[in-house]
Amino acid sequence: MVAVIMRGSGEDARVGPVRWNGLTRGGARMLVHDDPASTVRRATDALIAAGFSDGGDTFATAIRDSGSEWVARDVRLGDIAKSRKRGVVEFFADGTGFDFFPRFWRGATPTVVVACARRTPEGAELIVYPHYSVRGGADRNDAAPLVRRAVEGLSNAYSASGALISSEKLLSIKNDGSPASQAVVREVLGWR
């Protein structure tokens, strides 16, 4: 399996022509012995270390001000305008041999990843889930290996400390009101 060749991070991330990101786009749900705020902070730090950029305070503030039981943050990858531009360049450079030069690499598929947690009787329920933009110039699942790396690192760290209660992959997410659901991301961030 060929992994993503990526340069830069966050909104400036560019992707090389040789890539295989896997078929799954999902995130993860974990139950951990920790408080929700610390859990979200650790998840956000892991996602940023994997190559995402901090989404700022807008989402976190909106969730807190809504009176939600959830604590949430968002991180981002790619930029819609850069992705479209690079998608056009990639189209014309594809197969010419020029696409292997970094100048012709396309912008990463625009993605928002939400990390959110709430208190449960067992500890904290953490959800990490990506949302790809339909307005970007490419839909190549670029964030998937980065999300997998961050989630695996979190799972290993919580497991090593004995704080991991359970962990499961999420191939999809219900619009159940959690900040990671598509409806909330669309309503609060206007993300499509």
Side-chain angles (χ1 to χ4, degrees):
M1 175 163 50
V2 177
V4 169
I5 299 172
M6 190 175 295
R7 292 190 187 223
S9 63
E11 293 178 343
D12 295 324
R14 293 180 316 174
V15 181
V18 178
R19 60 202 166 270
W20 171 250
N21 302 328
L23 298 174
T24 60
R25 298 174 177 240
R29 173 181 280 125
M30 293 181 207
L31 286 175
V32 295
H33 292 294
D34 203 352
D35 68 279
S38 296
T39 304
V40 168
R41 191 170 31 259
R42 286 182 76 173
T44 303
D45 290 346
L47 289 161
I48 290 170
F52 293 92
S53 63
D54 190 347
D57 292 331
T58 304
F59 188 66
T61 302
I63 297 301
R64 183 181 59 244
D65 291 350
S66 73
S68 175
E69 65 181 327
W70 294 88
V71 176
R73 297 283 303 182
D74 67 306
V75 295
R76 294 168 185 253
L77 181 73
D79 177 83
I80 291 171
K82 290 176 186 176
S83 177
R84 283 188 178 158
K85 179 181 175 188
R86 289 293 175 197
V88 170
V89 170
E90 181 188 30
F91 175 76
F92 287 109
D94 190 35
T96 65
F98 289 117
D99 51 351
F100 278 93
F101 294 101
R103 178 180 176 97
F104 292 100
W105 289 14
R106 66 175 173 77
T109 301
T111 308
V112 164
V113 181
V114 173
C116 59
R118 67 178 171 180
R119 188 166 308 283
T120 67
E122 298 85 19
E125 174 188 13
L126 169 68
I127 298 174
V128 176
Y129 200 81
H131 297 276
Y132 299 87
S133 174
V134 296
R135 293 184 270 184
D139 184 13
R140 302 279 174 79
N141 205 14
D142 297 327
L146 305 179
V147 171
R148 283 192 297 264
R149 184 181 321 144
V151 166
E152 185 177 304
L154 274 172
S155 181
N156 290 342
Y158 277 122
S159 184
S161 68
L164 182 66
I165 300 169
S166 68
S167 179
E168 66 178 293
K169 291 180 182 178
L170 294 177
L171 298 179
S172 64
I173 190 161
K174 295 178 183 175
N175 282 325
D176 59 1
S178 84
S181 67
Q182 180 66 42
V184 173
V185 171
R186 185 174 43 246
E187 179 183 319
V188 175
L189 293 175
W191 189 259
R192 289 173 174 55

